[in-house]
Amino acid sequence: MIALRFLPYRPDVPTMRSFAVTPLGGVAIEVRQDGAIVSLTLCAESGDGDTDLFVPIIHQVVSAITDLKRTAEIAVAPCAEGLQLDVLKAIATVPRLSLSSYSHIARLAGRPGAVRAVASCVGRNPVPLIVPCHRVIPLSAGKQLSRALASPRLLGNYTPDPRLKAEILRMEGYFEVENLPSINFLS
C-alpha cells in the first residue's frame, strides 16, 4: 500500500533523475530536492539518470505494489493542476483489490459529466504506479470483471505497453482466483 501526500508542483525547485531495472521493467524517476516525486516513467530496460541516489525509492514503490504486506509513504508533486490534479487525487483513493471506472473517478473529481476528459487525465498520469491509474478500467470491463481479468485487453490502454496494466494488476493479486470475489468494483 502506498500512502500519498500531494505537494504543490514547483517548477523552480531543482530535480534529479534516476533509473532502475525492476520486475516491471525500466523505471525512471524525477525527484525534487525535498524528496517529492515529480514524475515516474515506465520505460525500456535501459536508461540513465543524473544520480543513483533515488534508485532505492524506485524499488520502494515497486515493492509496495508487488509485496501485499509492504507499505510506503510517498510525497508527490506532479506537474498537474485543475482537473488533472483533481483526477490524480481521486485515483489515489482507489484501494488495493478495488478497481474503479472512469465515471466513478469523474464523480470523485467533481466532474461527473466529463468522463472522456477524465479518461484523458488518467492517461496523462505523470506518476503511474504511485497514483494507481492501472486500477481504473472501462465500465464495461467492470460489469464483467472475471471476463476482463481473464482477457487483459478488455482492461483498457496503458502506457508504454497495454499488457503491462494486466501485469501490474497480477502483481497486486487481482488474478488470483481466491481474490476474485473480494475485488471491489467502484462504478
Side-chain angles (χ1 to χ4, degrees):
M1 182 179 110
I2 297 176
L4 284 178
R5 186 167 41 107
F6 280 87
L7 300 176
Y9 177 71
R10 293 190 43 211
D12 58 317
V13 176
T15 62
M16 297 184 83
R17 293 181 308 273
S18 284
F19 175 85
V21 176
T22 74
L24 296 173
V27 176
I29 194 169
E30 184 177 4
V31 181
R32 290 192 325 200
Q33 289 176 332
D34 64 1
I37 298 172
V38 175
S39 70
L40 185 140
T41 307
L42 303 165
C43 49
E45 295 258 346
S46 62
D48 60 351
D50 301 328
T51 178
D52 289 337
L53 182 65
F54 303 115
V55 170
I57 294 173
I58 294 171
H59 287 288
Q60 179 186 28
V61 168
V62 173
S63 292
I65 289 169
T66 60
D67 182 348
L68 298 178
K69 296 176 184 164
R70 188 160 194 159
T71 61
E73 290 185 24
I74 297 173
V76 293
C79 179
E81 60 185 16
L83 177 61
Q84 179 74 38
L85 185 58
D86 292 342
V87 167
L88 294 177
K89 288 179 177 180
I91 295 168
T93 67
V94 179
R96 188 186 305 247
L97 287 182
S98 291
L99 296 172
S100 181
S101 67
Y102 293 99
S103 56
H104 181 252
I105 296 299
R107 285 192 306 278
L108 289 177
R111 312 293 200 309
V115 176
R116 285 187 182 193
V118 165
S120 292
C121 290
V122 171
R124 291 192 314 270
N125 179 1
V127 283
L129 300 180
I130 300 169
V131 173
C133 57
H134 55 277
R135 295 180 189 154
V136 182
I137 64 173
L139 187 58
S140 59
K143 289 181 178 179
Q144 298 180 1
L145 192 53
S146 59
R147 184 171 170 229
L149 291 175
S151 180
R153 64 180 170 73
L154 300 175
L155 295 173
N157 205 358
Y158 197 74
T159 304
D161 182 347
R163 293 172 297 187
L164 188 55
K165 185 173 193 169
E167 184 58 31
I168 295 167
L169 291 172
R170 183 174 289 109
M171 288 178 156
E172 287 189 323
Y174 288 87
F175 289 85
E176 297 172 17
V177 175
E178 64 272 11
N179 284 341
L180 190 57
S182 66
I183 294 172
N184 186 23
F185 181 64
L186 308 170
S187 59

